[in-house]
Amino acid sequence: MSCLWRTLLTTVLLLLCRQTQCTTGCDGLTCVTDYLEHITCNWRVTVPHEPGVSYHLTAVSQEDEISCNLAVMSCSDGDKGLTEYKCKLYQDMGITMENYTISIKAKIKGDEKFIETCPYFDTTQNIKPLAPFNLNVSYVALCETYNFTWQIGYDEDDYLDDFEYELRYKRKEDSWE
């Protein structure tokens, strides 16, 4: 890829991220919200995990400050210098603000230092709904059909109330094609 195309592509990606306020502009930090009580953040860095170093993530809005310790994931690929950390922020009053500034601090032998600050995390642009649960399948012999039911983690008092689901199923002997 020529330098001109690389520069143009980088500029377009930066503009898109600024417009949608995504967190990808913050070196490997990705955050999503269930739009109820949690913001889950993954931070992927190209530095191996060092014993004795801990990382702390803080999300600040106009009214709230919530934080969590970033835990190293067991699936991290330390041999290749890739380490993934994860934490789940909890807000007992619900995620009520749309914009957060997210920062990461490192603590080394008692000293804290800011690693990164991501100023524009917009919860409305980074929603990952809770997965449905309690899937039940029943066969209706009279109609020779199946009835699928499930529950969701949202109720009528929550912000999100208009879901659409897509369901794929097949017989064991059939292909997904």
Side-chain angles (χ1 to χ4, degrees):
M1 187 182 296
S2 73
C3 286
L4 176 61
W5 277 109
R6 213 174 285 153
T7 304
L8 182 60
L9 183 60
T10 302
T11 304
V12 168
L13 286 173
L14 285 173
L15 287 173
L16 286 173
C17 275
R18 296 249 190 267
Q19 287 174 347
T20 62
Q21 299 179 339
C22 54
T23 59
T24 55
C26 295
D27 270 351
L29 180 67
T30 305
C31 298
V32 294
T33 178
D34 61 12
Y35 220 63
L36 283 179
E37 303 173 325
H38 295 98
I39 297 174
T40 303
C41 295
N42 289 345
W43 185 44
R44 193 174 177 135
V45 291
T46 57
V47 193
H49 176 69
E50 294 181 38
V53 178
S54 62
Y55 296 98
H56 193 75
L57 186 138
T58 304
V60 179
S61 70
Q62 291 176 347
E63 300 174 4
D64 301 320
E65 180 172 321
I66 49 180
S67 61
C68 58
N69 291 319
L70 285 156
V72 67
M73 301 302 295
S74 59
C75 60
S76 295
D77 194 356
D79 295 341
K80 294 183 180 173
L82 296 173
T83 308
E84 187 170 346
Y85 297 88
K86 183 176 187 173
C87 77
K88 190 177 234 182
L89 297 156
Y90 172 74
Q91 177 57 276
D92 60 349
M93 297 181 62
I95 303 297
T96 57
M97 297 304 296
E98 292 182 354
N99 292 306
Y100 285 85
T101 297
I102 296 178
S103 59
I104 298 173
K105 287 190 277 187
K107 192 171 189 177
I108 308 165
K109 297 180 184 175
D111 293 331
E112 286 186 353
K113 102 175 187 184
F114 274 97
I115 301 294
E116 191 158 17
T117 299
C118 309
Y120 301 111
F121 174 67
D122 182 354
T123 58
T124 64
Q125 299 297 315
N126 296 279
I127 298 172
K128 182 179 179 184
L130 297 171
F133 58 96
N134 287 342
L135 174 65
N136 290 300
V137 180
S138 57
Y139 180 70
V140 183
L142 184 63
C143 302
E144 295 184 3
T145 62
Y146 291 93
N147 185 33
F148 295 86
T149 60
W150 57 84
Q151 293 178 295
I152 62 171
Y154 300 90
D155 61 32
E156 62 274 353
D157 296 330
D158 296 326
Y159 311 117
L160 302 175
D161 60 2
D162 190 21
F163 289 97
E164 288 184 16
Y165 293 93
E166 203 172 288
L167 178 70
R168 285 180 39 176
Y169 70 97
K170 69 175 188 68
R171 293 183 301 221
K172 284 183 182 180
E173 63 272 8
D174 292 343
S175 165
W176 282 110
E177 299 298 318

